[in-house]
Amino acid sequence: MTILKDTALPRDERLSSIEGILFDKDGTLLDFDDSWGPVNREVALLASGGDAALASTLLRACGMDPETGHIVPDSLLAAGNTREIAAGFVSAGSLLDVEWLVPRIDAMFAGAAEKSVPVTDLAELFATLSRRGLRLGIASSDNELSIRRTAERFSLTPYVDFIAGYDSGHGVKPQPGMVLGFCAATGLDPARVAVVGDNNHDLHMGRNAGVGLKIAVLSGTGSRDSLSACCDIMVDDVSHLPGLFSVQAGEV
Ligand SMILES: [Mg+2]
């Protein structure tokens, strides 16, 4: 685990002031490459009209190397929502219409939730954090149905107070709306909330909402270099969170 930096407030004091955690999904709770590499290729092939060479061009333009599967940090395929990805495909040469692509890509992403691979034992993680009195939510640029399927599949639903996708009516990252929706659902002030994510749009969403803590994880498409400017704490992955929040009052 890497603690990158502390701010004026001592770290323990900052951590103990946190009463809720809003998680990003892909690259944070789910292993990005294993979960999304195959579906990104399928989606690009759809957008190319079945032209494999064009599909490779579309993948490259939106941030994925079709040879290695590597995803560029903060690129459209790393961090964009369905509408942004569809628009990216069209500007990179897809002859299809954004409005035609969006529902089809959403359906493919929702289908991919059934095959997604978790970063750690998510039910145990959420149960542990919940026992420590923390309220939990998930905010993703994916669609809400995909997030709900993921939560059900990994038995997280009993521990989750709030779920928001790009289509849930809370705006999109890095706007602050998803954090404010979590706050409305839990009654927490943003200063009592930590945001956890693998891309800058997660951290910027937290900053725009005035959250108490921005935690970067290195399990997704972000890197130490790309994430260090905007996070308060950096950890390898979410399995380190119970160690960070071990001093919470109210633990049973
Ligand atoms: Mg992510």
Side-chain angles (χ1 to χ4, degrees):
M1 178 172 64
T2 311
I3 300 292
L4 194 73
K5 55 190 174 186
D6 288 329
T7 52
L9 205 59
R11 184 169 73 92
D12 286 350
E13 210 172 297
R14 268 193 116 177
L15 286 167
S16 62
S17 72
I18 296 302
E19 295 176 18
I21 303 177
L22 187 58
F23 289 92
D24 168 53
K25 177 169 71 72
D26 300 310
T28 300
L29 298 177
L30 302 181
D31 182 286
F32 195 93
D33 289 343
D34 287 352
S35 302
W36 290 101
V39 75
N40 281 339
R41 292 176 194 278
E42 287 170 25
V43 161
L45 197 58
L46 171 83
S48 74
D51 176 339
L54 177 57
S56 292
T57 302
L58 300 182
L59 284 173
R60 269 197 203 90
C62 293
M64 177 171 161
D65 183 327
E67 311 299 329
T68 65
H70 175 72
I71 303 264
V72 177
D74 300 316
S75 65
L76 280 177
L77 286 171
N81 62 52
T82 304
R83 183 163 292 280
E84 292 164 340
I85 291 168
F89 284 152
V90 170
S91 28
S94 169
L95 299 176
L96 298 167
D97 184 67
V98 170
E99 298 306 325
W100 186 89
L101 283 168
V102 165
R104 287 163 179 80
I105 296 177
D106 268 341
M108 291 166 87
F109 283 169
E114 309 300 329
K115 303 175 214 153
S116 57
V117 180
V119 165
T120 185
D121 184 335
L122 297 177
E124 186 184 322
L125 172 71
F126 275 51
T128 301
L129 295 172
S130 180
R131 269 201 308 276
R132 292 178 186 176
L134 291 157
R135 310 291 295 274
L136 306 174
I138 305 174
S140 171
S141 293
D142 201 353
N143 62 82
E144 183 174 326
L145 177 63
S146 289
I147 310 167
R148 292 201 176 278
R149 284 193 182 168
T150 298
E152 282 160 24
R153 181 156 169 250
F154 295 109
S155 307
L156 309 182
T157 309
Y159 310 112
V160 173
D161 291 304
F162 177 79
I163 282 177
Y166 84 93
D167 52 356
S168 301
H170 298 284
V172 297
K173 301 176 182 181
Q175 296 165 3
M178 294 182 188
V179 175
L180 301 179
F182 177 60
C183 291
T186 56
L188 296 177
D189 188 273
R192 299 275 177 189
V193 170
V195 159
V196 184
D198 70 313
N199 269 287
N200 273 307
H201 72 171
D202 304 309
L203 307 175
H204 292 165
M205 172 181 72
R207 183 184 63 195
N208 292 338
V211 299
L213 206 60
K214 301 179 293 298
I215 302 175
V217 290
L218 294 172
S219 51
T221 56
S223 67
R224 195 174 295 267
D225 280 350
S226 72
L227 295 169
S228 60
C230 195
C231 70
D232 302 305
I233 294 175
M234 184 179 285
V235 293
D236 288 336
D237 61 59
V238 290
S239 69
H240 294 283
L241 293 184
L244 280 181
F245 291 99
S246 58
V247 292
Q248 285 290 324
E251 183 171 3
V252 183

